[in-house]
Amino acid sequence: MTESFRRSGEYENPQGPQGDAYQGAYPQQQHASSPVNPEWPPPPTHQPMQQAAQQPAAQPVTGEPETTQLPEFSALPEETPHSAHAKQKRTRGPIALLAAVAIVAAAVGGGTAYAFQELTGKTQVVSSSTTTSVVPSSKKGDVATIAAAVSPSVVEITATLSNGTSTGSGVIITSNGEIVTNNHVISGAQSVKVTTSTGKSYTAKIVGTDSAKDLALIKLQGASGLSPATLGNSDGVQVGDTVVAIGSPEGLSGTVTSGIVSALNRDVTVSTDESQDQQSQGNGSGGGQWPFSFGGQQFNGDTGSSTTTYKAIQTDASLNPGNSGGALIDAGGNIIGINSAMYSASSSSSSSSSDAGSVGLGFAIPINTVKSDLAKLRAGSTS
């Protein structure tokens, strides 16, 4: 609302014949103004500042002459048409300011985490509930829209080992290059190279690892202006929810698959032995099978004697070697898990890689587990 409300007759004849806003001394105003209507309600206790400055308080009508006094404004010079115009502009200023504040408040109410990220230079982890949509609400659940929104936040990771190389994936969580991935993707790496969705390559250093949760944090060197993902709330995930997976299976970066959440809180066991990880990963780009055990059975090889077990989200979205460390995404475009293990149809090391593939049995580390571990990883823990 850009117009101020006034009662009929309240501001009649505010200017003199020559256009002066207030001609002569203030006592001359009284005979030109309309009589005070006793039926009008009293003004509010605290009037807006602009109205208080423009309209002197109404004086009671009596038979005795009265002297009008302006508190603290009696020394103001006589106003001109220009000053009256300036007064009108000043009246609109606070209204425009209030409108701007209202727009900002609405934006913050709709997406607090995103606004905070923009104002702080995108160096903070963006977090939201699963009710917040990264994609437009009209496109919620649309795989193409989700892929377009989140793919820039997923990278390919190539780790150089003592006996070869391995390929995995990672999720950008800050614009300056913090990336979450699986510990087994970079375990034993002598160097780490990261390629973004635009094809730009960076050297990365390992900041912290947590083998008990199969998580790692790496940091790109000289990176800025990247597209961080929004971390959702895995506690709100339900069986049957639509999910999308993005990663680099077999070195094919930016691969998108979709499915549903098949089960929750699955006990998945993976190796924490660095030498075991190197053995499973050192078969060339994307060739690692990432052995794990589930339900008392071994999959994709032997996990060895040093293992850890975590609660995982099970999904039938197609996952293949190279998807490890990539994103599992809900229908709103929020990251709800880090893909970590998948059953391959070929569990024998003698089988050809063409026999390997997804059979609809994949697992992801819940994103709430990741968020609770971030401080430890950032502190440089190497457990």
Side-chain angles (χ1 to χ4, degrees):
M1 182 174 67
T2 58
E3 297 293 334
S4 298
F5 174 81
R6 66 181 178 84
R7 302 179 183 88
S8 176
E10 188 177 356
Y11 293 91
E12 294 297 329
N13 300 323
Q15 298 182 346
Q18 285 75 33
D20 288 342
Y22 293 94
Q23 184 178 12
Y26 281 100
Q28 295 178 359
Q29 282 186 277
Q30 184 148 355
H31 68 80
S33 61
S34 300
V36 175
N37 190 335
E39 296 181 357
W40 288 354
T45 306
H46 301 285
Q47 294 188 9
M49 183 174 294
Q50 285 73 18
Q51 293 185 9
Q54 293 179 9
Q55 179 184 359
Q59 299 294 330
V61 179
T62 64
E64 299 179 2
E66 296 181 11
T67 301
T68 303
Q69 296 184 354
L70 289 178
E72 300 181 12
F73 294 97
S74 57
L76 288 176
E78 183 176 350
E79 295 187 34
T80 66
H82 295 289
S83 63
H85 179 66
K87 181 182 293 292
Q88 183 179 13
K89 292 179 64 177
R90 286 196 300 269
T91 303
R92 294 177 181 175
I95 297 174
L97 177 60
L98 289 175
V101 171
I103 292 172
V104 172
V108 172
T112 303
Y114 178 78
F116 179 78
Q117 175 193 15
E118 288 289 329
L119 293 173
T120 56
K122 298 185 179 181
T123 58
Q124 301 294 326
V125 177
V126 186
S127 181
S128 75
S129 69
T130 53
T131 58
T132 301
S133 289
V134 175
V135 300
S137 58
S138 62
K139 293 289 186 177
K140 187 174 183 179
D142 183 76
V143 176
T145 304
I146 294 170
V150 184
S151 288
S153 303
V154 181
V155 299
E156 179 182 305
I157 299 175
T158 302
T160 301
L161 311 172
S162 60
N163 60 342
T165 60
S166 68
T167 300
S169 305
V171 177
I172 300 171
I173 61 171
T174 62
S175 65
N176 62 350
E178 283 188 330
I179 294 174
V180 170
T181 187
N182 289 138
N183 177 62
H184 71 251
V185 170
I186 51 84
S187 178
Q190 298 175 341
S191 64
V192 179
K193 176 184 175 182
V194 172
T195 305
T196 67
S197 62
T198 62
K200 188 172 182 178
S201 295
Y202 295 89
T203 298
K205 69 174 183 179
I206 300 173
V207 177
T209 60
D210 187 348
S211 59
K213 294 183 175 68
D214 195 20
L215 291 172
L217 181 69
I218 63 175
K219 177 72 166 56
L220 304 187
Q221 303 297 295
S224 63
L226 302 180
S227 300
T230 299
L231 308 186
N233 177 15
S234 53
D235 288 344
V237 175
Q238 298 181 0
V239 174
D241 283 352
T242 298
V243 289
V244 173
I246 303 179
S248 301
E250 303 292 348
L252 302 173
S253 61
T255 297
V256 178
T257 57
S258 64
I260 64 169
V261 173
S262 304
L264 299 170
N265 299 317
R266 294 296 202 194
D267 290 324
V268 175
T269 301
V270 297
S271 175
T272 59
D273 184 18
E274 183 174 302
S275 62
Q276 184 74 16
D277 287 337
Q278 290 189 44
Q279 182 180 358
S280 66
Q281 297 174 37
N283 299 320
S285 180
Q289 297 302 299
W290 320 121
F292 70 97
S293 62
F294 172 71
Q297 299 183 56
Q298 295 277 352
F299 299 95
N300 307 340
D302 185 9
T303 57
S305 59
S306 179
T307 61
T308 185
T309 301
Y310 56 82
K311 299 289 186 181
I313 300 171
Q314 182 181 325
T315 178
D316 70 348
S318 296
L319 302 178
N320 293 284
N323 271 114
S324 286
L328 189 67
I329 310 156
D330 68 10
N334 304 291
I335 309 299
I336 57 169
I338 300 297
N339 298 321
S340 58
M342 66 289 303
Y343 171 64
S344 172
S346 174
S347 58
S348 172
S349 60
S350 63
S351 300
S352 65
S353 60
S354 62
D355 294 330
S358 173
V359 292
L361 188 61
F363 301 94
I365 301 169
I367 202 64
N368 285 6
T369 300
V370 177
K371 290 192 286 188
S372 66
D373 210 32
L374 271 179
K376 177 180 177 181
L377 295 173
R378 282 172 163 165
S381 173
T382 55
S383 59

